[in-house]
Amino acid sequence: QVQLVESGGGLVQPGGSLRLSCAVSGFTSGWYAIGWFRQAPGKEREGIACIATTRGATYYADSVKDRFTIGRDDAKKTAYLQLDSIQPDDTALYYCVTDCIPTTSGIKADYGSWGRGTQVTVSS
């Protein structure tokens, strides 16, 4: 079965940067789209970034656009999320998933496998 392991989270100051990684294993064929989601205590899970298989098209939620960058390494089956200009509201548990679909109501993931997440905590 497909498994994902996130890493790279930690404590960071406002304005700082982090690079999150998502190692994917267990694919039977091809490369899946990868989405990044996050959830803060008391809030709904939010889809923040998506990278598709077709030409590597990327999509971002308004809350992170121009600050976060999603990418992938097809050969290594690894995806990443670069977080720049981090803000206090970015504090959350960040997940990757082998599915993502941009919709009029935000990025969603109806299928695919999830990792356990990596914690990002923003504090001065």
Side-chain angles (χ1 to χ4, degrees), residues 27-68:
F27 284 104
T28 57
S29 64
W31 171 253
Y32 289 21
I34 295 290
W36 281 95
F37 291 72
R38 67 184 183 183
Q39 187 165 27
K43 296 185 177 181
E44 297 287 338
R45 186 176 65 188
E46 177 188 20
I48 56 174
C50 174
I51 183 166
T53 57
T54 304
R55 297 189 298 275
T58 58
Y59 308 88
Y60 298 93
D62 290 341
S63 58
V64 306
K65 188 176 181 180
D66 299 324
R67 298 190 299 114
F68 294 2

Side-chain angles (χ1 to χ4, degrees), residues 9-122:
L11 181 65
V12 62
Q13 294 184 330
S17 298
L18 284 174
R19 182 182 175 89
L20 309 183
S21 296
C22 173
V24 184
S25 63
F27 284 104
T28 57
S29 64
W31 171 253
Y32 289 21
I34 295 290
W36 281 95
F37 291 72
R38 67 184 183 183
Q39 187 165 27
K43 296 185 177 181
E44 297 287 338
R45 186 176 65 188
E46 177 188 20
I48 56 174
C50 174
I51 183 166
T53 57
T54 304
R55 297 189 298 275
T58 58
Y59 308 88
Y60 298 93
D62 290 341
S63 58
V64 306
K65 188 176 181 180
D66 299 324
R67 298 190 299 114
F68 294 2
T69 304
I70 188 171
R72 68 184 183 188
D73 185 326
D74 292 342
K76 296 183 178 180
K77 294 293 187 290
T78 301
Y80 64 86
L81 185 70
Q82 178 69 36
L83 288 65
D84 295 316
S85 301
I86 290 175
Q87 303 170 357
D89 286 347
D90 293 326
T91 294
L93 185 63
Y94 286 71
Y95 301 88
C96 60
V97 62
T98 55
D99 180 48
C100 57
I101 302 174
T103 74
T104 56
S105 59
I107 297 171
K108 297 182 178 181
D110 296 327
Y111 305 97
S113 299
W114 296 77
R116 292 185 176 183
T118 184
Q119 179 68 40
V120 173
T121 301
V122 185

